[in-house]
Amino acid sequence: MNVYDFDNTIYNGESSLHFFFYYLKKTPYLIKYIPKVFYVLIKYKLGKMSVEYAIENYAVLIEDYFKSIEDFDADVIDFWNKHEKNIKPFYKEIQKEDDIIVTASPEASMNEICKRLGIKHCIGTLLDPKTGKITRLCMRSHKIPAFLEAFPDAHIDSFYTDSPKNDAPLIDMAEHAFIVKGNKITQIK
């Protein structure tokens, strides 16, 4: 089986950030959160803030907004109608029936695009549908227990990611590993 990270790997961009901007258009008052969103994102990307710290200190903002969303499922469909074009063309060329996505993005937002792409298995961050609280984080080293829970005896033939640092544990599990930068794929293992 082949396993893929999603954001910046087969999807051009960060889908969670794109969701933020999607909701910003629907709810302009969210503009007040832009400085916090970029502050956290920059600190995280520079390695100066852990995911756990960010969630502990900033997740309440997402939870509060999540509770105000009238029809999240309809929003997900609308979002992917507009953003499905961000799926990189290479993916369809190498896609296999048993592909698995392992992503930090919430499963609740990923299920629709996986259905459209014909991907049967997606392991992502889990949110409580009523409260928006994160019940399982699927990021960095947290991807391994989530993956092994779903596929305890799995053998990863090839793993694709944009971030060898963040996905090192999955790279270690895979027979072959590839780095995706834009539309360029480079084998590293």
Side-chain angles (χ1 to χ4, degrees):
M1 80 177 53
N2 292 334
V3 177
Y4 296 84
D5 177 42
F6 185 73
D7 293 312
N8 291 309
T9 301
I10 67 171
Y11 180 81
N12 188 21
E14 294 282 343
S15 61
S16 294
L17 190 59
H18 291 176
F19 257 102
F20 173 76
F21 286 109
Y22 170 83
Y23 278 114
L24 181 62
K25 287 180 184 175
K26 289 181 69 134
T27 320
Y29 80 83
L30 287 176
I31 200 163
K32 69 182 180 181
Y33 294 114
I34 286 179
K36 285 183 184 176
V37 168
F38 281 106
Y39 171 78
V40 171
L41 187 62
I42 289 167
K43 289 286 225 180
Y44 168 72
K45 289 286 187 185
L46 292 173
K48 299 189 184 262
M49 180 182 296
S50 71
V51 173
E52 293 79 11
Y53 180 86
I55 289 170
E56 185 178 313
N57 290 282
Y58 297 99
V60 69
L61 301 173
I62 297 166
E63 293 164 11
D64 287 344
Y65 182 73
F66 190 84
K67 289 184 241 179
S68 74
I69 297 171
E70 290 181 28
D71 190 345
F72 182 73
D73 293 335
D75 288 346
V76 167
I77 290 169
D78 186 50
F79 174 84
W80 286 116
N81 287 342
K82 294 172 179 163
H83 291 83
E84 184 174 359
K85 66 183 183 228
N86 290 340
I87 299 298
K88 295 179 181 182
F90 84 84
Y91 178 67
K92 279 294 188 189
E93 296 170 12
I94 62 173
Q95 182 176 8
K96 294 187 177 172
E97 189 175 320
D98 62 348
D99 285 352
I100 299 170
I101 301 290
V102 182
T103 179
S105 294
E107 281 186 21
S109 64
M110 290 295 300
N111 290 335
E112 176 66 21
I113 191 63
C114 286
K115 182 175 81 175
R116 292 179 187 203
L117 295 173
I119 299 169
K120 296 175 185 157
H121 303 287
C122 178
I123 301 164
T125 296
L126 293 178
L127 304 175
D128 181 299
K130 291 185 172 69
T131 66
K133 287 188 182 296
I134 294 171
T135 58
R136 178 183 74 202
L137 180 62
C138 189
M139 183 176 240
R140 292 187 175 184
S141 64
H142 299 282
K143 287 182 175 182
I144 296 297
F147 177 78
L148 291 175
E149 181 181 322
F151 299 96
D153 300 319
H155 170 76
I156 301 173
D157 295 315
S158 295
F159 176 66
Y160 295 79
T161 183
D162 68 307
S163 178
K165 178 182 174 190
N166 291 342
D167 286 328
L170 281 166
I171 290 171
D172 291 343
M173 286 180 65
E175 188 173 331
H176 305 284
F178 299 85
I179 301 301
V180 180
K181 295 293 180 196
N183 289 313
K184 183 181 178 194
I185 302 170
T186 305
Q187 186 168 0
I188 59 166
K189 177 180 176 185

